[in-house]
């Protein structure tokens, strides 16, 4: 197969490109990525010698470019997105432009060219806060952050393309993913790299919020299975069953790195913070998927990677990152002081 992977220079996208090239010796991949602050060609260094991956720097909103790349591919996998909840709270405009409009540009090109599969990479956050039990695919979408609302908007357009035009599209809704090459603004790489530097780990609110921590290789295997064996028009939850409180996650990272718990630093909570996500992945398991990494294994592999690959993350924690860090965290410290 020849695949168009948008957002293939980001965290999950680049791991997926490697997964496909490793598992399917005849497959070829075309990556389209804008290289925003989160995109990084270092993430694709490991596949550059394969001879089966080509890279285009560009925006999924660029209709002329998309029109050039979509003909001749068997499938489009849309990983491209603005992805960080805290940034969406500061300014949501890029989220609406990329996550919603950009998805529509890709869907329209896929429809015009009769692409045989369109896989939309979505998130458990579209269900909103889940106080108890677990979300099933037919539950209503109730997004609460601007990021989650943008991803839900994209999903509705994907569904509309299937229902209205018969575009064979599928949706995956993945849980919080961890592993190598994740930009260090997300909780786990941020905690790990701060801990390695002896810096505080900022814990939002009481730290009792719960997430399901999915190892990136398990997420990639699930997306690949949905691509090849999923039913068009369906959505598939991808949850690992590794539910933990954020405080447990931070403490696990400190323990793995031999750092003291005095590095935990409580800061003001995220506005509208969803306290819990939890997925029922029965539908995906029926296709033959099962996660291979429990919480401890996923955390050990992830933390060890950041420990060994300072060359990758050290240069990211400069410039724009520091500016964002200041905007996001200074405000949280100030709020905490005034409350
Ligand atoms: P990421 O932020 O690491 O990567 C996003 C990539 O998209 C970057 O390479 C960026 O340059 C690219 N991009 C952004 N805007 C673009 C545009 N307009 N045109 C082309 N490329 C653009 O994100 P990630 O964590 O790898 O997430 C990938 C996908 O998986 C996203 O759609 C996200 O919503 C979804 N997802 C992520 C998680 C998670 O825990 N990280 C969980 C579930 C679902
Ligand atoms: P994050 O990695 O941003 O993923 P998401 O918000 O998409 O689930 O955050 C994971 C959890 O960690 C979430 O409950 C927010 C919390 N968190 C902190 O407590 N401190 C931080 O500095 C960050 C970035 C997140």
């Amino acid at each position: 197969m020849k695949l168009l992977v948008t957002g293939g220079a980001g965290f999950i996208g680049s791991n997926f490109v490697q997964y496909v090239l490793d598992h399917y010796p005849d497959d070829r991949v075309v990556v389209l990525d804008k290289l925003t602050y989160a995109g990084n060609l270092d993430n694709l260094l490991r596949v550059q010698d394969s001879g089966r991956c080509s890279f285009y720097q560009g925006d999924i909103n660029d209709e002329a470019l998309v029109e050039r790349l979509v003909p001749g591919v068997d499938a489009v996998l849309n990983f491209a997105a603005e992805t960080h909840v805290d940034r969406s709270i500061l300014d949501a405009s890029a989220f609406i432009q990329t996550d919603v409009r950009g998805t529509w540009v890709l869907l329209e090109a896929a429809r015009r060219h009769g692409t045989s599969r369109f896989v939309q990479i979505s998130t458990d956050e579209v269900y909103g806060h889940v106080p108890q039990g677990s979300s099933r695919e037919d539950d209503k979408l109730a997004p609460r952050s601007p990021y989650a609302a943008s991803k839900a908007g994209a999903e509705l357009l994907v569904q509309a393309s299937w229902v209205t035009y018969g575009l064979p599209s599928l949706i995956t809704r993945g849980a919080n993913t961890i592993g190598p090459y994740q930009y260090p603004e997300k909780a786990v790489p941020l905690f790990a790299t701060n801990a390695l530097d002896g810096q505080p780990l900022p814990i939002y609110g009481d730290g009792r919020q719960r997430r399901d921590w999915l190892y990136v290789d398990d997420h990639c295997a699930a997306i690949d299975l949905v691509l090849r064996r999923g039913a068009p028009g369906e959505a598939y939850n991808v949850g690992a069953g590794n539910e933990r409180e954020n405080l447990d996650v931070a403490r696990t990272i400190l323990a793995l790195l031999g750092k003291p718990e005095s590095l935990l630093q409580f800061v003001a909570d995220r506005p509208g913070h969803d306290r819990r996500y939890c997925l029922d992945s029965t539908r995906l398991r029926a296709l033959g998927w099962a996660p291979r990494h429990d919480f401890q294994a996923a955390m050990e592999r992830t933390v060890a990677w950041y420990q060994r690959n300072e060359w990758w993350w050290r240069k990211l924690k400069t410039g724009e990152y520091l500016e964002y860090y200041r905007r996001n965290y200074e405000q949280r410290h100030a709020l905490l002081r005034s409350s």
Side-chain angles (χ1 to χ4, degrees):
M1 279 214 278
K2 186 173 175 188
L3 310 178
L4 175 61
V5 175
T6 69
F11 164 48
I12 308 175
S14 63
N15 279 285
F16 182 77
V17 171
Q18 182 179 34
Y19 184 94
V20 167
L21 296 177
D22 285 350
H23 286 79
Y24 302 97
D26 296 328
D27 278 10
R28 283 173 300 144
V29 177
V30 177
V31 170
L32 168 60
D33 197 296
K34 188 177 176 183
L35 297 182
T36 65
Y37 76 92
N40 184 349
L41 285 179
D42 283 350
N43 299 1
L44 290 170
L45 284 177
R46 59 205 153 138
V47 299
Q48 72 179 6
D49 293 334
S50 69
R52 292 184 288 129
C53 178
S54 46
F55 177 80
Y56 292 82
Q57 180 172 3
D59 192 327
I60 58 170
N61 283 288
D62 180 342
E63 291 168 39
L65 177 59
V66 168
E67 187 63 27
R68 236 178 357 108
L69 297 181
V70 167
V73 300
D74 302 297
V76 175
L77 295 111
N78 184 26
F79 293 81
E82 290 292 333
T83 61
H84 192 38
V85 173
D86 293 318
R87 287 190 192 246
S88 80
I89 293 168
L90 293 171
D91 180 1
S93 47
F95 290 74
I96 293 152
Q97 178 69 4
T98 289
D99 301 14
V100 184
R101 184 182 182 278
T103 299
W104 183 244
V105 170
L106 293 171
L107 286 166
E108 282 294 272
R111 172 167 78 91
R112 275 196 299 276
H113 294 287
T115 307
S116 44
R117 296 294 244 200
F118 186 103
V119 183
Q120 172 69 7
I121 314 306
S122 193
T123 165
D124 57 1
E125 305 196 23
V126 295
Y127 295 114
H129 166 56
V130 185
Q132 53 212 319
S134 48
S135 305
R136 300 188 69 132
E137 287 84 351
D138 297 331
D139 288 354
K140 85 171 164 56
L141 305 188
R144 289 157 33 97
S145 72
Y147 163 65
S150 303
K151 294 296 290 185
E155 279 204 25
L156 296 180
L157 294 173
V158 173
Q159 294 284 10
S161 291
W162 160 244
V163 172
T164 309
Y165 307 117
L167 177 72
S169 47
L170 305 101
I171 293 169
T172 59
R173 295 185 185 135
N176 281 66
T177 305
I178 53 173
Y181 303 99
Q182 185 169 31
Y183 192 77
E185 66 188 352
K186 302 282 165 55
V188 165
L190 186 147
F191 291 169
T193 56
N194 278 18
L196 283 163
D197 277 344
Q199 294 298 315
L201 280 55
I203 307 293
Y204 295 169
D206 63 4
R208 308 289 303 272
Q209 306 85 358
R210 301 178 78 86
R211 299 288 186 266
D212 175 8
W213 298 95
L214 171 67
Y215 193 65
V216 68
D217 289 355
D218 290 327
H219 196 165
C220 291
I223 293 167
D224 179 57
L225 188 64
V226 168
L227 164 69
R228 290 164 209 270
R229 305 251 318 276
E234 293 280 28
Y236 293 87
N237 289 341
V238 189
N242 294 333
E243 189 179 339
R244 293 289 188 286
E245 289 186 352
N246 291 341
L247 260 180
D248 289 344
V249 171
R251 288 199 172 107
T252 302
I253 291 169
L254 291 172
L256 285 168
L257 293 174
K259 300 287 180 178
E261 294 208 355
S262 55
L263 288 178
L264 298 173
Q265 183 178 55
F266 290 89
V267 300
D269 207 351
R270 174 187 277 172
H273 198 166
D274 289 334
R275 285 192 76 78
R276 179 173 180 265
Y277 303 127
C278 186
L279 293 173
D280 178 329
S281 304
T282 308
R283 184 179 285 173
L284 181 64
R285 285 173 181 265
L287 283 186
W289 178 83
R292 290 166 180 255
H293 300 83
D294 64 13
F295 177 75
Q296 193 62 26
M299 291 298 296
E300 279 173 14
R301 278 182 179 238
T302 301
V303 170
W305 190 85
Y306 290 91
Q307 209 169 5
R308 283 198 312 271
N309 290 281
E310 192 176 328
W311 72 272
W312 182 84
W313 59 263
R314 175 71 62 199
K315 60 188 172 194
L316 298 177
K317 294 185 106 172
T318 55
E320 193 274 346
Y321 179 90
L322 295 179
E323 167 60 19
Y324 158 73
Y325 202 87
R326 191 188 55 71
R327 275 175 78 201
N328 189 47
Y329 292 95
E330 253 181 22
Q331 192 189 10
R332 291 208 143 81
H333 289 120
L335 278 171
L336 196 66
R337 277 195 298 274
S338 65
S339 65

